[in-house]
Each structure stands twice: as structure tokens, then as C-alpha cells.
């Protein structure tokens, strides 16, 4: 650009960074922490979906939006559009993703501040644990499986029993179970431990007591016979009936079938399958006096609040059980109601 004689050239402003490019940069940086592909995909969905809403609100293509355009006003309207046909939990997750995105932008000096505190978000729903209903349900389930209750074209009771017992005695999430390898189990016989990779790549070590160890060994023995192959440490711990790594859909189907054939499907809360086993594990820990810290470690929680829920539910259950004592009927008749006897 030519400058007229006697005039001082004015500094030019650096080009504004496109919002879509900033999203790509953020996701690239996040990969250094080794999150799962599923986590990265979820981040991208949340960021691009809200960005699309912002572009529609601003009446221009996404490619034209810059970071300077992402004001609190625009984001409030974008999140309102995003929330219109989505559950509160989805909106809350997207809000968290965007909050992390802006924290990165502030750290990199790409924006002056984080507008997300000015964007309303739903209150987190109060999550109540949903263990298997019925005091004897876990025992009834495992006993039925050990007797070969699950009728299938190619029955494999040892595998079925090992999968359900593993979930009930470790409280693993579905993804954690599916990620297990043979070398996840280590230690001397009688002192085995299970190395689990949980959310965010965090690892924890869980004790495996002798009865569960015996079930797993029995299952692995039948697996060697079934497929006639030597099992190596990097092989998946849980496999389907063709010897391939068990996947999410296969695990859910297996657990559902086990419930049905064991006659306990009516004791499973709606919307839970493998998670009902995790909740049962945690609830029994609380009932047997485990501390919040112990529950937190065994379940792989990062928040005390999540673990405390099991203890709170247990306390309510104990009160309900005490209230059901028939001796209270006598007091009610004597007092004419629920008023305590003076």
C-alpha cells in the first residue's frame, strides 16, 4: 500500500481469527491430553452445533463468524436456539464444553474474556442411583447364570457369569469393561488387581478377590478350548461368541438377556442395564459402611457429590425400612397417628 508523502503509515490490525478455525485449534490442543476419540467427537459436536445456531441468529454463514463476534449476547441467543429441542443434560454438557473452549482462548490471548458466565445454563438434574431392586436380586441373578439359565443357540454360561459378576463386584462402567485387556489383570493368585482406564484417561487399580478370580480363570479356560488360540496380554478380556472383542451393543444385549432368563428383568429400573450393576455395587458398598472416599476411588468419581448420592440414598432406604416395622402400627393406634409418644 502506497503512503502519501509527509504522512505516517497507520498500523494495520491483524486479521481476526475465524471461530471455526479456533475450534479446530482447540481440539488439536486437547488431543495432547490423550482423550478418547469419543470425547473429542463429543466436543466437536457441541462446539459446531452451537456455532451453527450462532450463525443462524447472526444471519450469516459459519465461515464468516470470528472470535470477536462471539459475544455474550450472541451466545445467549445461540444457546436458546440450541436448547429448543434438546434435553437439559445435553445443553449443560454443551455449556461446559464452550466454557472450556473459552478458557483456552483466554489462556492463548485470543479473546479478552470468557462470556460463558453470562449465558444461562440448566441446573444439573439430581441423579438418583438406580440399583437392581430387591435385596436378593444379585444373588438370584448370579445363581441362575451359574446354572445355565440363559438359553441361546451357542450357550456360554462361564462367559455370561464372568461378565455379570465382574460388573457387580467392580462397578465398572460399560466403556471401562469393554476396554479391559488380559494384561489389565495382574498380580499373584489371590492378590490380583485390575487396572482400569476411566473417564479422562484416569487410571485406578481395583482389588479382585479369589471368588471373582476363579470365575474369570474358568471363563478364560473355556475360551481357550472354544477358539483353540493362545491368549496374549493385549487380547480383549471380554469377547463375543465369535471370539471378537465385545462391543457396547453386544454387552447391552448380553446383560439384557441375562436379566430376562434369570427372571429378574422386572427388577431393573427403566433406562438402566449395565449401569444398574454399577449402582448395585456402589449401593451395597454404602450399606456395608464404606466411606465416601472409598466409594469415590472404587467408582472412579472425581466429585465427592457423585459418591455421596449413594450414601444419601442408603440413609433414606434405612429410614423407610425402619418405618415399615410393624411395631410402629401399635404406636400409631396408641397415639392416633404419626405423632411420637411423649
Amino acid at each position: 500500500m502506497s503512503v502519501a508523502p509527509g504522512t505516517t503509515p497507520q498500523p494495520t490490525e491483524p486479521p481476526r481469527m475465524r471461530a471455526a478455525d479456533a475450534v479446530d485449534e482447540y481440539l488439536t490442543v486437547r488431543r495432547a491430553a490423550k482423550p478418547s476419540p469419543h470425547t473429542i467427537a463429543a466436543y466437536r459436536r457441541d462446539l459446531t452445533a452451537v456455532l451453527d445456531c450462532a450463525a443462524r441468529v447472526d444471519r450469516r454463514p459459519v465461515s464468516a463468524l470470528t472470535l470477536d463476534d462471539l459475544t455474550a449476547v450472541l451466545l445467549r441467543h445461540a444457546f436458546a436456539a440450541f436448547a429448543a429441542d434438546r434435553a437439559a443434560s445435553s445443553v449443560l454438557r454443551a455449556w461446559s464444553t464452550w466454557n472450556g473452549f473459552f478458557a483456552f482462548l483466554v489462556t492463548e490471548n485470543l479473546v479478552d474474556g470468557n462470556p460463558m458466565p453470562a449465558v444461562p445454563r440448566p441446573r444439573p438434574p439430581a441423579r438418583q442411583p438406580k440399583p437392581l431392586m430387591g435385596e436378593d436380586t444379585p444373588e438370584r441373578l448370579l445363581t441362575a447364570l451359574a446354572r445355565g439359565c440363559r438359553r441361546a443357540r451357542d450357550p456360554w454360561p462361564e462367559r455370561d457369569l464372568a461378565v455379570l459378576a465382574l460388573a457387580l463386584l467392580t462397578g465398572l462402567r460399560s466403556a471401562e469393561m469393554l476396554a479391559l485387556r488380559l494384561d489389565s489383570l495382574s498380580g499373584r493368585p489371590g492378590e490380583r488387581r485390575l487396572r482400569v482406564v476411566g473417564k479422562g484417561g484416569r487410571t485406578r487399580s481395583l482389588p479382585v478377590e479369589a471368588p471373582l478370580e476363579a470365575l474369570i480363570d474358568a471363563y478364560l479356560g473355556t475360551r481357550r478350548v472354544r477358539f483353540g488360540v493362545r491368549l496374549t496380554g493385549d487380547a480383549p478380556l471380554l469377547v463375543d461368541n465369535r471370539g471378537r472383542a465385545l462391543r457396547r451393543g453386544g454387552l447391552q444385549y448380553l446383560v439384557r438377556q441375562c436379566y430376562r432368563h434369570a427372571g429378574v428383568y422386572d427388577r431393573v429400573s427403566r433406562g438402566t442395564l449395565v449401569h444398574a450393576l454399577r449402582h448395585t455395587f456402589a449401593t451395597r458398598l454404602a450399606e456395608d459402611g464404606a466411606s465416601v472416599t472409598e466409594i469415590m476411588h472404587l467408582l472412579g468419581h472425581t466429585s465427592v457429590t457423585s459418591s455421596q448420592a449413594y450414601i444419601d440414598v442408603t440413609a433414606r432406604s434405612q429410614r423407610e425400612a425402619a418405618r415399615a416395622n410393624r411395631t410402629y402400627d401399635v404406636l400409631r393406634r396408641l397415639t392416633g397417628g404419626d405423632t411420637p409418644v411423649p
Side-chain angles (χ1 to χ4, degrees), residues 12 55 65 114 119 127 181 201 216 237 246 270 283 285 331:
T12 58
L65 286 178
N114 182 355
V119 178
R127 295 187 178 180
R181 297 290 178 263
I216 294 174
L237 179 63
L246 196 60
R270 185 177 179 181
T283 301
L285 282 178
L331 297 186

Side-chain angles (χ1 to χ4, degrees), residues 249-264:
L251 176 61
Q252 290 180 325
Y253 177 79
L254 186 154
V255 171
R256 184 186 294 111
Q257 290 299 104
C258 287
Y259 287 151
R260 284 179 173 158
H261 288 291
V264 301

Side-chain angles (χ1 to χ4, degrees), residues 19 33 40 46 85 115 146 181 200 205 207 213 216 218 222 233 240 245 248-249 271 300 302 306:
I40 288 292
D46 288 340
D85 58 353
R181 297 290 178 263
S205 178
E213 181 183 332
I216 294 174
T222 62
D240 61 19
R248 185 170 181 269
T302 56
S306 301

Side-chain angles (χ1 to χ4, degrees), residues 7-330:
T7 61
T8 304
Q10 297 297 317
T12 58
E13 291 185 6
R16 296 175 178 177
M17 188 173 194
R18 294 193 318 148
D21 292 339
V23 167
D24 289 337
E25 179 66 17
Y26 173 63
L27 295 177
T28 299
V29 171
R30 288 290 302 175
R31 287 191 181 92
K34 301 297 288 181
S36 71
H38 173 78
T39 299
I40 288 292
Y43 287 155
R44 183 176 290 280
R45 281 195 304 271
D46 288 340
L47 292 167
T48 55
V50 174
L51 205 55
D52 287 342
C53 291
R56 286 197 298 272
V57 169
D58 217 34
R59 297 182 180 179
R60 51 177 160 158
V62 171
S63 59
L65 286 178
T66 69
L67 291 180
D68 290 344
D69 296 322
L70 300 180
T71 63
V73 173
L74 179 58
L75 287 170
R76 278 198 293 267
H77 286 285
F79 265 87
F82 177 80
D85 58 353
R86 288 177 172 85
S89 57
S90 298
V91 179
L92 186 61
R93 187 196 64 232
W95 190 98
S96 271
T97 301
W98 272 81
N99 192 48
F101 174 50
F102 268 103
F104 161 76
L105 296 177
V106 171
T107 302
E108 295 294 310
N109 293 317
L110 295 172
V111 296
D112 293 331
N114 182 355
M116 292 308 296
V119 178
R121 57 175 167 166
R123 256 185 205 177
R127 295 187 178 180
Q128 295 298 326
K130 296 179 179 179
L132 295 173
M133 294 176 277
E135 180 61 29
D136 66 337
T137 303
E139 290 75 19
R140 179 175 166 180
L141 172 62
L142 295 179
T143 300
L145 291 174
R147 291 173 178 168
C149 72
R150 187 181 171 217
R151 295 179 295 279
R153 284 180 296 178
D154 184 17
W156 194 357
E158 296 85 359
R159 190 274 316 274
D160 297 348
L161 182 58
V163 170
L164 273 291
L166 181 67
L168 279 168
L169 290 167
T170 63
L172 294 181
R173 302 176 179 94
S174 295
E176 293 171 344
M177 291 182 67
L178 299 176
L180 292 174
R181 297 290 178 263
L182 288 177
D183 58 11
S184 300
L185 196 62
S186 61
R188 296 179 297 182
E191 298 178 3
R192 298 275 182 88
R193 297 191 73 85
L194 195 63
R195 184 178 179 274
V196 180
V197 180
K199 286 187 175 181
R202 292 180 292 271
T203 62
R204 64 189 188 276
S205 178
L206 304 178
V208 174
E209 297 300 320
L212 178 57
E213 181 183 332
L215 281 183
I216 294 174
D217 286 344
Y219 148 63
L220 293 176
T222 62
R223 179 172 158 185
R224 293 185 189 93
V225 173
R226 267 180 169 253
F227 305 112
V229 295
R230 180 174 173 271
L231 302 180
T232 58
D234 61 348
L237 179 63
L238 304 179
V239 297
D240 61 19
N241 282 36
R242 296 183 180 181
R244 299 178 302 196
L246 196 60
R247 304 184 67 160
R248 185 170 181 269
L251 176 61
Q252 290 180 325
Y253 177 79
L254 186 154
V255 171
R256 184 186 294 111
Q257 290 299 104
C258 287
Y259 287 151
R260 284 179 173 158
H261 288 291
V264 301
Y265 197 70
D266 60 339
R267 301 185 180 191
V268 184
S269 297
R270 185 177 179 181
T272 64
L273 282 172
V274 182
H275 232 58
L277 304 171
R278 175 174 168 84
H279 287 183
T280 301
F281 166 78
T283 301
R284 287 195 160 190
L285 282 178
E287 289 172 346
D288 293 338
S291 69
V292 174
T293 304
E294 290 167 334
I295 295 173
M296 188 174 170
H297 172 75
L298 290 169
L299 290 180
H301 284 157
T302 56
S303 166
V304 172
T305 304
S306 301
S307 304
Q308 183 66 45
Y310 294 99
I311 292 178
D312 292 343
V313 167
T314 300
R316 284 197 293 273
S317 300
Q318 290 171 347
R319 179 168 288 279
E320 289 167 5
R323 187 180 294 125
N325 190 322
R326 286 171 293 173
T327 306
Y328 274 113
D329 292 339
V330 178

